[in-house]
Amino acid sequence: MNINSLSIKEAREKLIKKEISSLELTKACLSTIGERDKEIKTCLNVFEKEAILAAKEADKRIASGDDDPLLGIPYLAKDNLMVKGQKTTAGSLMLKNYISPYNSFVIDKLDKAGAILLGKTNLDEFAHGSSTENSAFFSSHNPYDLSRTPGGSSGGSAAALAADMCLFSLGSDTGGSIRQPASFCNLVGLKPSYGLVSRFGLIAMTSSTDVIGPFTKNIYDSALVLQAIADYDKRDATCLKNKRADYLVNIEKKIKDLTIAYPRQYFDNTLSQDILELLEKAKDKFKNLGAKIIEVDLNYADYSVPTYYIITPSEISSNLARFDGISWGLSKKEYSDLKEFYTNNRGAGFGLETKRRIMLGTFALSAGYLDKYYKQALVLRQLIKEDFKKVFSKADIIISPSTIGPAFKLGDKINDTLAMYKEDIYLAGVSLAGLPALSMPAGFLTKDGKELPIGLQLIAPYLQEEKLLQVAFSLEKANI
Amino acid sequence: MKFNKETILKVADLAKLKLDEKEIKLLSQELSSISDFVEKLNDLKLDLNQSTDLEYISFENFGRDDEVISSSKSEKDLSLNQQKRQADLVIAPKIN
């Protein structure tokens, strides 16, 4: 077994026992990037020298008895997170040469914890998409079948971890961008509650739903990374001041007597039989663990994607207005007046999906259409949130599918915008309601002679990551 | 709703986006089908005056004291080096 395929927990034990060093671990990851990334194409930038130096530093700290849980553990970060002195492109030509002047909060936290940043990963431009095909640079591939997508928008981070190029990675989730790639790449992808993790230094997409979270190989590792990054930060006005829970202390606690709800609307005849069977198995595991299973209604489930695709583009059209080529970003030389300067820069700097969303949002917010679209969507968002609240008055956790199927082929949906948007069907509602959720491996399905992974989603009440991880840990142990 | 070329150009003008003919054609088809899809929201008769505040987002404005944080020369360079510069100034594009 290669050391770069270890979980964080396993690697940490070996580091403490001095069976391996952080330098060896880091070099093993870098060499896997060197060997495999030519075909999987996950990294936009690799910080080889910096990573080697940081690993040597981590080894010194380990030798002096420092036992920070992430000390010496190599990771990759999505390229919409700022890393001081390095490029942050957000997968866009607009920011192709943009150098971050400061670290994002999460990168700072992980730096202090002694984790080793190996590089930055590919994404759909500005995190707009479900396949990485909207990246201005290249599409990433799924390690389980290179003709397929790893999902998106955090597809680079997911594919890299699935191919053992790091021990964990960071992504951002606005309407499913961590959970969908986790489902496609056989990983645990955690979307924390809105406001739990500071977004300082994350390039904004949809400010009312954007969150940062980890990809890991198991639930325990997910709790370890969350523990390291969840903290109050005054530089993010939406970051909660509450004291963060300890996500590890109760993780092994039994889930007997907890109630797990499955929404009727997610288990209807639109769900394929093979996914339904995997979810039924998970429900049986829960029953065996002593949990109670109940059926519930999410009456507005059908409205979550249309609501999401009004709210998200509206916020995008506003957030991306800052990219005009004046202070930074692509700046074209040909223009006759200020307006042309803006339109030329934005026309050349943004890709098609970004333009599509800016156009959609500008339209939804324009005079005469505001009530019909944006306000209507805001009211529906309340109803979706209330729907979840009602379910959580009688249940502890919701189980649902993560995705409508396993990874689709690259090229299959890129010309069908609505099909791509419907990828978020089980994921967008959770984002609109600000809830914590994760996708974890549910099993494998055979497609075109290949075994492809697929995940299931668990959803918890607001700020109940501790319970979410506890339930997920029990289910994982029960070997789905 | 049907997005014809005129509507697309009007929205593109509001969004300060230059689109080529191919994009105009494509976006008018796509935005038409996306708007038909999101039209579903209007099936419901909703009270648009109800509160749409999200309890987990604080809408209270908060201030903090202005703090002068010292930065090194290299940090200053990083912040200024995004476009062409002269000494401590960024050269902004000339607008006629």
Side-chain angles (χ1 to χ4, degrees):
Chain A
M1 186 183 182
N2 297 324
I3 54 174
N4 48 310
S5 58
L6 294 171
S7 69
I8 302 177
K9 195 180 175 206
E10 291 162 340
R12 189 184 170 220
E13 282 161 13
K14 289 186 186 297
L15 284 167
I16 292 170
K17 286 188 203 150
K18 313 273 191 311
E19 287 172 19
I20 57 169
S21 68
S22 172
L23 187 61
E24 286 164 348
L25 198 54
T26 302
K27 282 185 173 168
C29 290
L30 288 168
S31 97
T32 303
I33 293 174
E35 285 157 24
R36 298 200 65 192
D37 212 33
K38 280 180 226 93
E39 51 178 18
I40 304 177
K41 297 167 93 93
T42 67
C43 291
L44 287 170
N45 204 350
V46 179
F47 313 140
E48 191 168 341
K49 270 190 214 155
E50 293 88 340
I52 298 278
L53 279 176
K56 286 180 181 167
E57 204 49 48
D59 280 330
K60 279 188 210 157
R61 276 175 66 180
I62 295 167
S64 71
D66 192 340
D67 65 349
D68 198 300
L70 296 181
L71 183 55
I73 305 290
Y75 76 102
L76 284 159
K78 188 176 180 177
D79 202 22
N80 56 356
L81 288 163
M82 308 267 249
V83 175
K84 190 174 169 180
Q86 301 288 359
K87 277 186 187 173
T88 299
T89 68
S92 179
L93 289 181
M94 183 61 94
L95 295 176
K96 191 178 169 197
N97 297 312
Y98 177 70
I99 312 279
S100 321
Y102 54 84
N103 269 346
S104 42
F105 174 82
V106 287
I107 298 287
D108 254 349
K109 286 287 277 185
L110 292 172
D111 256 6
K112 284 185 190 120
I116 315 295
L117 179 62
L118 300 169
K120 308 282 286 295
T121 56
N122 194 31
L123 65 156
D124 288 292
E125 182 179 16
F126 288 106
H128 305 165
S130 306
S131 68
T132 69
E133 289 165 288
N134 294 325
S135 165
F137 306 110
F138 47 75
S139 299
S140 298
H141 298 256
N142 191 312
Y144 287 88
D145 176 354
L146 294 175
S147 69
R148 291 173 191 270
T149 173
S153 64
S154 315
S157 288
L161 179 62
D164 298 330
M165 296 178 195
C166 53
L167 272 70
F168 73 95
S169 56
L170 291 181
S172 61
D173 190 314
T174 301
S177 283
I178 291 176
R179 291 163 286 156
Q180 184 250 21
S183 172
F184 286 2
C185 293
N186 203 30
L187 299 170
V188 174
L190 172 67
K191 172 219 172 291
S193 298
Y194 183 85
L196 188 77
V197 178
S198 165
R199 300 174 300 178
F200 179 75
L202 169 73
I203 294 182
M205 171 183 166
T206 304
S207 301
S208 74
T209 66
D210 289 343
V211 296
I212 300 167
F215 288 99
T216 54
K217 288 190 177 161
N218 61 46
I219 300 294
Y220 190 89
D221 283 4
S222 189
L224 272 175
V225 181
L226 183 66
Q227 190 99 310
I229 60 173
D231 207 352
Y232 170 64
D233 172 23
K234 66 177 179 183
R235 298 167 302 179
D236 173 358
T238 57
C239 192
L240 294 163
K241 286 185 177 162
N242 318 19
K243 190 175 180 312
R244 272 39 175 185
D246 185 323
Y247 305 109
L248 292 157
V249 71
N250 288 323
I251 199 164
E252 296 188 30
K253 217 167 120 186
K254 300 256 183 304
I255 60 160
K256 199 175 169 310
D257 301 329
L258 290 188
T259 304
I260 313 288
Y262 69 94
R264 205 187 311 270
Q265 289 77 3
Y266 288 172
F267 288 73
D268 62 3
N269 52 16
T270 56
L271 187 64
S272 75
Q273 193 55 35
D274 43 8
I275 299 179
L276 192 63
E277 280 167 21
L278 288 175
L279 285 161
E280 289 301 328
K281 269 190 204 165
K283 280 202 271 180
D284 288 342
K285 296 251 156 89
F286 277 135
K287 278 186 212 154
N288 292 340
L289 291 164
K292 198 170 126 197
I293 308 286
I294 59 166
E295 188 179 49
V296 291
D297 280 304
L298 284 175
N299 293 313
Y300 294 98
D302 268 1
Y303 293 92
S304 65
V305 175
T307 303
Y308 178 79
Y309 277 99
I310 291 294
I311 289 178
T312 289
S314 299
E315 294 190 34
I316 286 169
S317 72
S318 165
N319 270 331
L320 268 57
R322 71 191 65 168
F323 297 104
D324 57 13
I326 297 261
S327 314
W328 24 258
L330 183 105
S331 204
K332 303 288 275 185
K333 292 203 169 56
E334 309 79 36
Y335 58 94
S336 55
D337 57 17
L338 183 60
K339 188 170 165 195
E340 198 177 81
F341 177 77
Y342 290 150
T343 54
N344 284 357
N345 290 337
R346 290 163 63 77
F350 291 138
L352 186 61
E353 176 62 17
T354 300
K355 286 179 186 168
R356 194 182 281 131
R357 293 194 187 197
I358 292 174
M359 291 283 289
L360 203 55
T362 306
F363 171 72
L365 295 176
S366 64
Y369 294 99
L370 188 72
D371 278 359
K372 186 171 158 63
Y373 291 106
Y374 187 64
K375 281 205 179 148
Q376 188 92 359
L378 287 183
V379 172
L380 258 158
R381 179 182 192 159
Q382 285 295 323
L383 299 175
I384 290 166
K385 192 167 67 80
E386 291 305 317
D387 241 6
F388 278 111
K389 217 174 182 175
K390 263 185 236 156
V391 170
F392 286 128
S393 67
K394 47 192 172 192
D396 297 283
I397 294 286
I398 294 173
I399 180 171
S400 90
S402 292
T403 48
I404 50 174
F408 51 90
K409 293 218 167 180
L410 288 162
D412 262 9
K413 293 191 180 179
I414 193 69
N415 296 317
D416 186 348
T417 309
L418 275 178
M420 198 69 103
Y421 288 1
K422 287 177 187 167
E423 275 294 303
D424 298 331
I425 191 150
Y426 306 116
L427 309 170
V430 175
S431 292
L432 291 170
L435 303 173
L438 58 81
S439 178
M440 64 190 285
F444 284 81
L445 301 175
T446 311
K447 295 273 167 199
D448 304 332
K450 296 230 169 159
E451 291 283 291
L452 299 173
I454 187 147
L456 63 82
Q457 181 178 225
L458 299 178
I459 310 165
Y462 187 56
L463 289 181
Q464 299 215 11
E465 277 78 1
E466 200 187 342
K467 194 185 273 174
L468 176 68
L469 290 160
Q470 179 203 341
V471 170
F473 186 84
S474 290
L475 185 62
E476 182 186 65
K477 280 268 175 252
N479 294 322
I480 338 173
Chain B
M1 177 176 160
K2 189 99 190 98
F3 279 75
N4 55 25
K5 185 173 176 179
E6 196 193 340
T7 321
I8 291 288
L9 289 176
K10 180 158 190 268
V11 179
D13 183 60
L14 290 171
K16 304 284 179 288
L17 279 177
K18 185 177 177 179
L19 303 175
D20 59 30
E21 281 304 319
K22 212 177 127 200
E23 288 173 325
I24 293 170
K25 203 173 157 211
L26 189 68
L27 285 173
S28 56
Q29 288 164 3
E30 288 180 343
L31 294 196
S32 302
S33 65
I34 296 168
S35 78
D36 288 346
F37 173 64
V38 298
E39 199 67 40
K40 188 178 172 60
L41 301 191
N42 290 300
D43 297 351
L44 300 168
K45 295 277 166 282
L46 302 176
D47 171 14
L48 294 189
N49 294 319
Q50 77 175 77
S51 162
T52 52
D53 286 357
L54 297 162
E55 61 246 41
Y56 58 86
I57 301 181
S58 162
F59 287 97
E60 251 173 67
N61 227 341
F62 71 93
R64 58 173 194 257
D65 294 337
D66 274 344
E67 267 177 84
V68 178
I69 304 169
S70 65
S71 53
S72 64
K73 186 177 179 308
S74 64
E75 279 172 325
K76 234 181 204 173
D77 285 347
L78 266 182
S79 313
L80 292 172
N81 270 353
Q82 308 301 338
Q83 303 287 20
K84 277 189 191 150
R85 63 181 275 211
Q86 192 176 333
D88 272 358
L89 302 170
V90 173
I91 303 177
K94 183 181 170 189
I95 303 297
N96 299 315

